[in-house]
Amino acid sequence: MIDRSTDSVSLASSMFSVLGWGGLVVLLLVAGVGGTPTHAQQQEVPDSIRNDLEARNLSPDQARRRAQQLGLDLSAPAQAADEARRRGIPEARVRALLRAARAASTMDTTARSLSASDVAATGAAPPDTTPPASKPLAPDTTADGDQPSGLSYFGYNTFDSVPDAFAPSPSGPVDDSYVVGPGDELRLVVWGAPEFQYDLTVDRQGRVFVPDHGQFTAAGQTIEALRADMKQWLSQQHSGLTEDPPTVFMDLSVTRLRPLKVFVLGEVAQPGGYTVSATATAFNALYSVGGPLRRGSLRRIQVIRDGSVADTVDLYDYLAEGGQPTPVNLQGGDYIRVPVRGKTVAVTGAVGRPAYYEMADGETVRDLIEYAGGVEPDAYGADFEVRRLIPPGKREDPGASVPRRDLNFSLDAVLNGDATVPLSDADRVRIRAVPTRDDPAAASNVASAAVAGAVYQPGTYALGDSVRTVRDLLRAANGPTDAAYRQQASLIRFDENLDEAVRSVNIDSVLAGVPRANLPLVPGDSLHVRSVQSLEATRTVRITGQVRNPGPYPYRSNMTVQDLLLRGGGLADSTYLSNVLRSRADLYRESDDGRSERVRPFNLARALRGNGLADEPLRPGDRIRVYPLRAEVNPDKFVEISGAVKEPGRYDYQENLSVKDVILKANGFEEDVYLDELQIARPKAGAPGMRTLRVSLDRSPGSSGAVRFAADDTTHALQAAATVPVQHRDRVLVRSDPAYSDRDFVTLRGEVRFPGEYALEEQDEPLSSVLERAGGLTPDGYPGGGQLVRDEERFVLDLQRVLRGDEDLGLRNGDEIVIPTTPNSVSVRGNVAQEGRIKYQQGEDVDYYLERAGGVRDSTKNIYLTQATGETRKVESGWFARSPAVTDGAVIRVTKEAPPPDDQDGVDIGKTIRDVTGVLSGALTIIVLATRAFD
């Protein structure tokens, strides 16, 4: 019988050193969980905790009483955990203590043991944690509680029973790659001139003892290598082993495998420690514990070794594809962790195996269909449905039931690889089946009508009681898809002369039953419902330059740079690549507002290998330019660009380079660029010096002088720059607009209604205007003490005059305005009898406050008054001097005369006597107090 209560106390003891006194109370409680407080008191406290208590002059009973004084219930682990969190113990340690407490409680009432023979037979050790509850698990549901009826979770029933083939084997045979270790039992057989057989056990040092021959190191080698080494070793006494032909023969085999101790944790029915065979894999260990629970993952099972993930097991490789389980061989001390099930998707309808499936990152609908056994022969190829949860942040009513939206895609496009449909957690995929009805029009001459386009079930439908009108026809086709253009559909009808007539109908009006729209059908009618995409302009991407098939290509979702490069052709041919500049290609992309175009240079060779910019998603309108080898940069030729561009500097010169190309190489204009013109500094031909070319950018090339563009139109500026060529050693000068200014901000703090940062609406916006936008001052605000800080210096300002409109001040970027609370006091400091604050009295002067501070001391030199506005003045003294009035929040400073300089060569005898007297008096006081303390 195992006493797990003592184990929990031992766990508490080992953790005390890092938890401190706050944790000690909780540890004592853990030792008492599982019974009444009386039971806790009867338990023996470990010496380590008892010593820690004695260091604090406490006994275990006193510590328990201390816990009770704190209001803690010794039998309530949750309350103990709350107290531990309040005292700052980390959450992870609190959880560890609670697990130990629960283990102690369970094992005190139900102890389990397993004999050595049981271990040898099954290879399993008793679990280290609480056994599973006998109550069956409730079936999982989807996020909104609406799970498809009868749909199961794929793969979990595989572990309902443990096949003998997967039970850990305590003995061989093993293959020649098996690594021998301590605990293995080997059988050595020698025959020929000598004949003997020994069963050898590998000891803890990894050695075996062969009688009459000695010791031999066996651990750490494969059985094949060990067999060869031992043959050489034995040949020293039995030379016939190595003769040609041999006269003595030897065989070495494994008869019993060493046991391994592994731990299975996470979402399994019986987590804990298990003993398995040395040849066991993670797959065997999972069968030993009954497999993952339904809430556990089958795709991300981790083997943790030495604190890091050694391998990850994906059981779908075996369960869905019929391959071999991932052969992750285990080592002693490994942890097998089953995390919570990841992204889960349901698939129903015309598939081989409808169920819930766990999907890995990056897997799509095509992978889901393969896991489900593929589609049935009657699957409807034109369309399938994905019902997807709307994310919490996009729901109109967060309190309502969880809403979903329906998405529709082409099944044929997915199966052919022309479309990729990603999945989200809790998606429901429904593969429709073709309706199993005979075609009335083909079987007989029964009247029919057809519907095509953006509907869920296009086809031909017999006219009759259920299909009479356009609305009936749409309902028979399961209605229009989300991509349908609902404003107009075309009803095509043939007249008596077989001429085609078209009538437009509004789908929303049809479904609402509006008589003018819900037309009666006649035999041969055909309804065509267009999709929104078919009415949109074709979105393309383009590749130009040194490729076999330059030009535009249709844009596809998730299309990348590498996809477009391969579409261009020739770049996968090594012979063709010999004429291509591999070190450089350019990706041109318009800005989001369409006003400018930026270029992103990239290494073409790396992109073709799948590195660098290869996986960059493309946008509609993107274009890639591939250069010929003759455009290889000449390192001796260059152009320069400076000024209002993002990356000014020197760039390699290429043939046919324009000013626009140079600007794009510099990653485009800065925000303050001056777009009316730019300049090019160009060396004079055959003469020293430079000449300057002025390039106008404010008109379209070739247009009349009356046609001008806005000064900030970078698109037209780049178009004009594209017509201007540059030469070797040119320097493009892009100037900044002198009228441009960044946004200026000021900060309001203190007693204003809406403190914070405010953008200046104009240069030198008045302070009164900003205060008005901030809602003015609060009732507690004190305008007389308002401060304006500019460039880290206080600006002397009378804010009361600003608020009255008598004066104002223009603000600048970075100004800080602070409005304090009304102080109702005046501060008196310096050479006065009593420094401090004195209650403010309206209308009183400096003399009043100096008198309240006990007057000035001798050797007073000057008196200064600093009003709350920051204004400072010297107070004149004398019979005829007038004492100035003091405002609320003012500061009065009284300075004193500087003392005469000390005699550096002489000694102040008086000061020395005073210092010695003070020391003696202090010592005498200590002696008297000490004597009284021991009387």
Side-chain angles (χ1 to χ4, degrees):
M1 195 71 69
I2 302 174
D3 187 357
R4 292 291 179 143
S5 61
T6 304
D7 289 348
S8 67
V9 179
S10 299
L11 174 63
S13 173
S14 64
M15 297 183 68
F16 171 76
S17 59
V18 293
L19 295 183
W21 167 245
L24 178 60
V25 175
V26 182
L27 294 177
L28 289 174
L29 297 180
V30 170
V33 171
T36 63
T38 303
H39 175 71
Q41 295 171 2
Q42 293 173 352
Q43 286 185 326
E44 181 180 355
V45 179
D47 292 338
S48 58
I49 292 184
R50 187 180 299 276
N51 293 336
D52 288 317
L53 290 175
E54 291 176 355
R56 293 169 172 79
N57 295 321
L58 288 173
S59 67
D61 290 337
Q62 288 174 329
R64 292 188 180 100
R65 286 196 295 271
R66 172 67 182 274
Q68 292 173 347
Q69 291 171 1
L70 292 174
L72 299 175
D73 183 0
L74 293 178
S75 62
Q79 187 180 10
D82 292 340
E83 178 65 16
R85 295 185 184 99
R86 189 182 69 80
R87 293 177 178 272
I89 299 175
E91 180 65 24
R93 293 172 180 165
V94 173
R95 293 181 180 273
L97 291 171
L98 289 175
R99 286 196 297 270
R102 286 194 292 268
S105 175
T106 303
M107 297 305 294
D108 277 342
T109 57
T110 306
R112 294 173 296 168
S113 63
L114 192 63
S115 66
S117 59
D118 292 334
V119 173
T122 64
D128 291 344
T129 54
T130 308
S134 58
K135 180 180 178 181
L137 293 173
D140 293 356
T141 59
T142 55
D144 54 0
D146 179 22
Q147 69 172 15
S149 176
L151 204 60
S152 62
Y153 287 80
F154 172 74
Y156 293 93
N157 58 356
T158 306
F159 301 95
D160 289 346
S161 60
V162 181
D164 293 338
F166 292 104
S169 173
S171 60
V174 296
D175 56 33
D176 287 344
S177 63
Y178 175 74
V179 178
V180 177
D184 284 336
E185 292 185 9
L186 310 177
R187 176 164 295 169
L188 174 64
V189 181
V190 177
W191 68 95
E195 291 188 359
F196 55 85
Q197 173 179 311
Y198 299 118
D199 288 332
L200 311 175
T201 301
V202 183
D203 62 18
R204 293 185 178 181
Q205 286 73 35
R207 298 171 299 187
V208 294
F209 178 76
V210 181
D212 301 327
H213 293 78
Q215 290 185 338
F216 187 81
T217 300
Q221 297 189 78
T222 64
I223 189 64
E224 182 179 20
L226 179 60
R227 188 180 292 120
D229 289 351
M230 184 167 285
K231 181 178 181 180
Q232 290 294 329
W233 180 63
L234 292 175
S235 68
Q236 298 175 8
Q237 297 187 34
H238 310 286
S239 58
L241 286 169
T242 56
E243 292 178 350
D244 189 14
T247 58
V248 180
F249 304 91
M250 185 206 80
D251 182 51
L252 183 69
S253 60
V254 180
T255 57
R256 190 168 188 83
L257 303 176
R258 65 185 182 276
L260 294 180
K261 180 75 171 182
V262 296
F263 301 89
V264 185
L265 306 174
E267 303 302 326
V268 293
Q270 293 184 335
Y274 287 82
T275 300
V276 297
S277 167
T279 57
T281 64
F283 197 63
N284 301 133
L286 287 173
Y287 264 107
S288 298
V289 300
L293 294 173
R294 189 175 300 173
R295 62 174 178 266
S297 173
L298 296 177
R299 310 292 309 272
R300 299 176 292 113
I301 300 168
Q302 298 173 336
V303 178
I304 301 173
R305 183 174 300 152
D306 297 329
S308 61
V309 178
D311 212 331
T312 302
V313 180
D314 186 348
L315 293 182
Y316 272 33
D317 295 340
Y318 164 66
L319 299 174
E321 301 178 9
Q324 291 295 324
T326 306
V328 181
N329 293 318
L330 299 178
Q331 297 182 13
D334 281 355
Y335 287 79
I336 302 173
R337 177 179 174 270
V338 180
V340 176
R341 186 180 66 235
K343 178 168 57 180
T344 305
V345 178
V347 58
T348 59
V351 292
R353 189 167 47 219
Y356 287 103
Y357 292 88
E358 181 183 0
M359 306 303 295
D361 293 339
E363 291 185 332
T364 63
V365 167
R366 186 172 182 177
D367 300 305
L368 176 65
I369 293 174
E370 290 180 0
Y371 291 146
V375 297
E376 294 291 320
D378 60 345
Y380 180 60
D383 176 82
F384 71 94
E385 177 187 79
V386 178
R387 300 200 67 201
R388 178 163 296 165
L389 288 175
I390 298 176
K394 298 182 180 180
R395 298 172 187 170
E396 296 181 358
D397 184 4
S401 60
V402 180
R404 290 182 180 268
R405 58 177 177 174
D406 294 337
L407 307 174
N408 293 91
F409 307 94
S410 169
L411 181 61
D412 289 338
V414 168
L415 296 179
N416 295 334
D418 296 334
T420 300
V421 180
L423 293 168
S424 298
D425 193 18
D427 276 358
R428 300 178 191 162
V429 179
R430 183 166 71 93
I431 307 299
R432 298 184 179 88
V434 176
T436 57
R437 60 171 179 268
D438 296 331
D439 184 354
S444 61
N445 290 328
V446 177
S448 63
V451 57
V455 293
Y456 285 115
Q457 296 283 7
T460 302
Y461 295 85
L463 298 181
D465 294 338
S466 60
V467 179
R468 295 177 178 273
T469 64
V470 174
R471 181 171 66 174
D472 298 335
L473 182 61
L474 284 173
R475 288 178 174 175
N478 284 341
T481 67
D482 291 341
Y485 181 66
R486 307 174 76 91
Q487 303 303 313
Q488 184 192 52
S490 299
L491 180 64
I492 301 175
R493 178 173 295 173
F494 294 93
D495 58 17
E496 296 178 354
N497 298 323
L498 299 181
D499 293 330
E500 188 178 82
V502 179
R503 182 166 181 177
S504 297
V505 294
N506 184 292
I507 292 180
D508 289 332
S509 299
V510 169
L511 296 178
V514 177
R516 295 184 59 183
N518 188 25
L519 301 174
L521 296 174
V522 299
D525 279 355
S526 177
L527 180 66
H528 295 265
V529 181
R530 300 178 180 87
S531 66
V532 175
Q533 289 83 355
S534 66
L535 301 177
E536 292 179 345
T538 302
R539 300 188 296 173
T540 61
V541 291
R542 179 181 295 270
I543 185 169
T544 60
Q546 192 68 15
V547 292
R548 281 180 175 168
N549 304 310
Y553 289 88
Y555 171 77
R556 297 286 185 260
S557 178
N558 299 323
M559 198 173 188
T560 65
V561 167
Q562 188 178 29
D563 295 333
L564 184 56
L565 289 173
L566 297 179
R567 288 282 186 96
L571 300 181
D573 185 347
S574 58
T575 303
Y576 187 87
L577 274 176
S578 62
N579 294 318
V580 176
L581 179 61
R582 306 187 196 186
S583 61
R584 165 77 180 266
D586 291 331
L587 170 64
Y588 294 86
R589 174 172 293 169
E590 288 188 355
S591 61
D592 294 336
D593 57 7
R595 297 174 63 88
S596 62
E597 186 179 48
R598 298 187 63 181
V599 61
R600 292 184 62 182
F602 63 93
N603 187 291
L604 177 63
R606 294 190 63 199
L608 292 174
R609 292 195 302 267
N611 301 321
L613 213 63
D615 294 330
E616 172 73 14
L618 293 177
R619 299 179 184 176
D622 281 357
R623 60 188 178 94
I624 293 177
R625 184 177 180 183
V626 179
Y627 299 101
L629 185 62
R630 65 177 180 272
E632 183 70 63
V633 175
N634 185 342
D636 296 329
K637 292 187 177 183
F638 62 88
V639 292
E640 294 180 292
I641 185 170
S642 61
V645 291
K646 295 187 181 298
E647 296 182 11
R650 176 179 292 191
Y651 292 90
D652 298 324
Y653 176 78
Q654 294 172 315
E655 296 180 4
N656 302 322
L657 203 66
S658 68
V659 172
K660 175 185 176 182
D661 296 327
V662 180
I663 294 171
L664 294 179
K665 286 175 180 288
N667 273 340
F669 295 119
E670 286 284 8
E671 203 171 334
D672 62 342
V673 63
Y674 179 68
L675 290 177
D676 280 357
E677 71 170 23
L678 54 81
Q679 297 180 2
I680 299 176
R682 178 170 294 171
K684 294 181 179 179
M690 306 284 288
R691 62 191 180 100
T692 301
L693 307 177
R694 303 180 65 178
V695 179
S696 176
L697 300 180
D698 65 348
R699 65 183 63 206
S700 176
S703 63
S704 65
V707 180
R708 300 177 63 87
F709 300 103
D712 62 347
D713 193 339
T714 57
T715 301
H716 292 295
L718 288 174
Q719 289 176 354
T723 64
V724 182
V726 295
Q727 300 178 8
H728 167 49
R729 297 179 60 195
D730 277 358
R731 182 165 187 167
V732 181
L733 307 174
V734 183
R735 295 181 293 177
S736 297
D737 190 344
Y740 176 85
S741 65
D742 290 328
R743 297 176 298 169
D744 293 336
F745 289 90
V746 296
T747 303
L748 268 64
R749 294 194 294 109
E751 298 297 332
V752 291
R753 290 195 62 192
F754 304 105
E757 286 191 343
Y758 287 84
L760 295 181
E761 296 181 345
E762 58 183 349
Q763 190 173 6
D764 293 331
E765 181 180 359
L767 172 58
S768 59
S769 173
V770 177
L771 287 174
E772 181 180 357
R773 287 195 282 133
L777 275 61
T778 66
D780 295 332
Y782 178 47
Q787 299 180 14
L788 170 62
V789 180
R790 176 174 293 172
D791 298 329
E792 300 183 356
E793 293 183 353
R794 181 172 177 177
F795 199 105
V796 178
L797 175 68
D798 189 346
L799 190 59
Q800 290 177 315
R801 294 178 58 82
V802 173
L803 294 176
R804 291 197 303 265
D806 296 339
E807 66 177 50
D808 216 330
L809 178 69
L811 297 180
R812 298 180 183 177
N813 182 45
D815 283 354
E816 184 176 4
I817 300 95
V818 182
I819 309 298
T821 305
T822 303
N824 289 322
S825 65
V826 174
S827 179
V828 181
R829 304 174 186 171
N831 195 34
V832 293
Q834 181 65 47
E835 292 183 307
R837 290 183 176 272
I838 300 172
K839 180 175 173 53
Y840 171 72
Q841 295 292 336
Q842 188 174 3
E844 296 295 345
D845 57 12
V846 172
D847 290 342
Y848 170 81
Y849 293 101
L850 290 177
E851 182 181 352
R852 293 295 181 275
V856 298
R857 293 180 180 272
D858 294 340
S859 69
T860 293
K861 182 178 181 180
N862 293 313
I863 301 174
Y864 296 93
L865 170 63
T866 301
Q867 301 287 21
T869 60
E871 177 186 1
T872 302
R873 58 185 295 190
K874 180 180 178 182
V875 179
E876 300 294 337
S877 59
W879 289 100
F880 300 101
R882 183 178 179 183
S883 179
V886 179
T887 61
D888 194 2
V891 178
I892 301 173
R893 296 181 179 85
V894 181
T895 64
K896 62 185 298 186
E897 295 282 357
D902 294 337
D903 185 358
Q904 300 296 331
D905 298 329
V907 178
D908 188 347
I909 302 299
K911 181 177 184 298
T912 303
I913 294 175
R914 289 194 299 272
D915 291 343
V916 172
T917 303
V919 172
L920 294 176
S921 298
L924 181 61
T925 302
I926 294 174
I927 293 172
V928 171
L929 291 176
T931 304
R932 291 179 179 176
F934 288 99
D935 286 344

